[in-house]
Amino acid sequence: MLVRLLAPVATPALVSRSRKKCTSYCTSRDMGLENLGSKVKKAVSFRLCYISSYTTELLEIQADDPTLQILLIPGNPGVITFYKDFVESLYELLGGNASITAIGHVAHTQKNWERGRLFSLQEQIDHKMDFIRQELPNNEVPVILVSHSIGSYISIEMLRRSSEKVIYCVGLYPFLALNLQSVKQSIIGKIAASSIISAALSHIVASLGFLPRCALRFAVSKSLGSSWSAAAVEAACTHLPQYHVMRNILFMAKTEFGKLSEKPDWAFMRGNQDKIAFLFGTNDHWGSLQMFEEISKQAPDIGLSIEREGHTHAFSCTQAGSLWVADHVANLIKNKTSSSSQ
């Protein structure tokens, strides 16, 4: 949600934890920069797709002869244009060998296609499964899920329901359970739980949409971050000052908080440790380091890493964050596919 875009900046450094409880320390790489600017570089294309009668926003880059299909599941807000720079960087760092589709959440769209209907976390999960069945029927091309924040919870549920097709899940700054120590989450939970407060806040944010576009861009840049990329600022300006978007952000948050008050399904994660990897950040109350430690105890063979380069929970809103995380994900995928082929 909007508050998730305001996560504090972490302290520069890089720490990575390898699998099986082993901790390794490594220096920052060049993030695959030598590969950027290559012939495989492509711009994303935007299209609308009808999934189970719901109008869905997609960002896509199609490889000429893909060996993998990557499906990006966003956080909340599920405004897919926030991930434009990340998708383009990931495609390039994978050498143009994977087709990438980023799927937005239902009703987190620029236009009010669903006429004000509110969609829960479970309905968003069902929507993503319907997309796989409808748009990715080819069993010969394996699917890798890359997800952000609450999208990481969604991707685990998708793995549960489509284990024959999904071979790997990478969760970025994952929101998997409530952080009872977080004051911000407590406040957001109370706002989301009240339909009256949620509606009032949504009207206030939507009123910003009446500002001239140049004034709105200025306000977004000053309030959310001067380091934001042009794509992220544009995404915020086109989608967030919409009443139906804000109401769905808050309603989805309400259902998230209800579901994530339960403990994660550790038994399922232990049974699929070789198919799951998570990247955590520092000072991130959504994907806290307490959860990092709990995963390392409950499912020690899951791939776990901590990013300390100074990128926030809203990594995709800056070009530097998008590139660094794309490089991390690309290396995870390359290692996974190379080990699977041996």
Side-chain angles (χ1 to χ4, degrees):
M1 63 189 59
L2 184 59
V3 180
R4 295 180 196 179
L5 304 178
L6 301 174
V9 176
T11 305
L14 173 66
V15 174
S16 175
R17 175 171 290 189
S18 65
R19 297 167 63 178
K20 298 185 179 179
K21 293 187 178 179
C22 176
T23 303
S24 63
Y25 297 87
C26 52
T27 57
S28 180
R29 305 182 302 277
D30 290 333
M31 301 181 298
L33 288 173
E34 68 276 5
N35 295 325
L36 297 182
S38 63
K39 294 181 180 179
V40 300
K41 184 173 183 178
K42 285 185 179 180
V44 296
S45 59
F46 176 90
R47 74 178 174 98
L48 296 176
C49 181
Y50 297 96
I51 306 297
S52 299
S53 76
Y54 301 132
T55 303
T56 305
E57 293 182 346
L58 303 177
L59 289 183
E60 296 178 315
I61 302 182
Q62 297 295 332
D64 294 331
D65 186 21
T67 57
L68 293 171
Q69 172 64 58
I70 296 174
L71 182 60
L72 172 63
I73 312 297
N76 183 10
V79 177
I80 209 60
T81 45
F82 277 125
Y83 299 87
K84 174 182 178 294
D85 295 333
F86 172 72
V87 170
E88 291 179 342
S89 296
L90 182 58
Y91 176 83
E92 195 167 356
L93 288 164
L94 289 173
N97 295 315
S99 292
I100 304 177
T101 300
I103 179 172
H105 293 328
V106 185
H108 294 218
T109 50
Q110 183 174 0
K111 292 186 178 181
N112 187 12
W113 298 107
E114 310 310 327
R115 299 182 179 181
R117 178 178 167 180
L118 302 179
F119 292 83
S120 68
L121 172 62
Q122 186 58 54
E123 287 172 312
Q124 298 291 358
I125 295 172
D126 294 340
H127 170 252
K128 307 307 177 291
M129 289 303 305
D130 289 341
F131 176 84
I132 287 182
R133 284 189 287 267
Q134 178 179 315
E135 297 291 314
L136 304 177
N138 185 359
N139 290 324
E140 295 180 0
V141 179
V143 175
I144 291 179
L145 302 178
V146 177
S147 51
H148 177 218
S149 193
I150 188 60
S152 300
Y153 176 87
I154 294 174
S155 69
I156 295 298
E157 290 303 303
M158 295 174 69
L159 174 62
R160 187 196 307 275
R161 294 162 60 174
S162 187
S163 58
E164 74 287 347
K165 183 179 288 287
V166 176
I167 66 167
Y168 197 40
C169 293
V170 180
L172 307 172
Y173 307 87
F175 181 34
L176 302 173
L178 291 184
N179 180 356
L180 300 179
Q181 298 177 348
S182 171
V183 175
K184 287 184 178 180
Q185 285 191 27
S186 177
I187 294 172
I188 295 167
K190 292 176 181 177
I191 292 173
S194 170
S195 59
I196 295 175
I197 297 176
S198 294
L201 180 59
S202 298
H203 277 299
I204 292 171
V205 175
S207 67
L208 297 176
F210 294 104
L211 291 173
R213 182 53 61 90
C214 59
L216 183 57
R217 285 198 184 96
F218 178 82
V220 168
S221 298
K222 290 297 182 182
S223 62
L224 297 181
S226 58
S227 63
W228 274 28
S229 66
V233 171
E234 184 65 18
C237 291
T238 56
H239 287 70
L240 297 185
Q242 304 274 358
Y243 179 80
H244 71 278
V245 173
M246 284 305 304
R247 283 291 279 128
N248 266 282
I249 288 172
L250 293 170
F251 182 75
M252 183 176 172
K254 175 184 176 180
T255 60
E256 289 174 31
F257 277 47
K259 187 62 179 176
L260 271 61
S261 61
E262 305 170 3
K263 291 183 179 180
D265 188 345
W266 297 121
F268 178 78
M269 288 193 187
R270 280 192 292 270
N272 292 273
Q273 296 182 79
D274 60 331
K275 293 184 177 182
I276 302 172
F278 292 121
L279 172 67
F280 285 80
T282 57
N283 298 326
D284 181 7
H285 68 92
W286 297 109
S288 68
L289 294 183
Q290 289 88 346
M291 176 55 67
F292 173 92
E293 295 296 339
E294 188 65 20
I295 294 173
S296 69
K297 294 175 184 177
Q298 297 285 349
D301 287 345
I302 285 179
L304 294 175
S305 302
I306 302 175
E307 174 271 307
R308 298 186 188 273
E309 284 288 309
H311 308 303
T312 69
H313 186 83
F315 74 92
S316 64
C317 292
T318 68
Q319 289 184 329
S322 294
L323 178 56
W324 192 95
V325 176
D327 178 70
H328 178 82
V329 173
N331 280 289
L332 286 175
I333 292 174
K334 290 174 184 177
N335 291 337
K336 174 63 177 178
T337 54
S338 62
S339 63
S340 298
S341 61
Q342 292 177 356

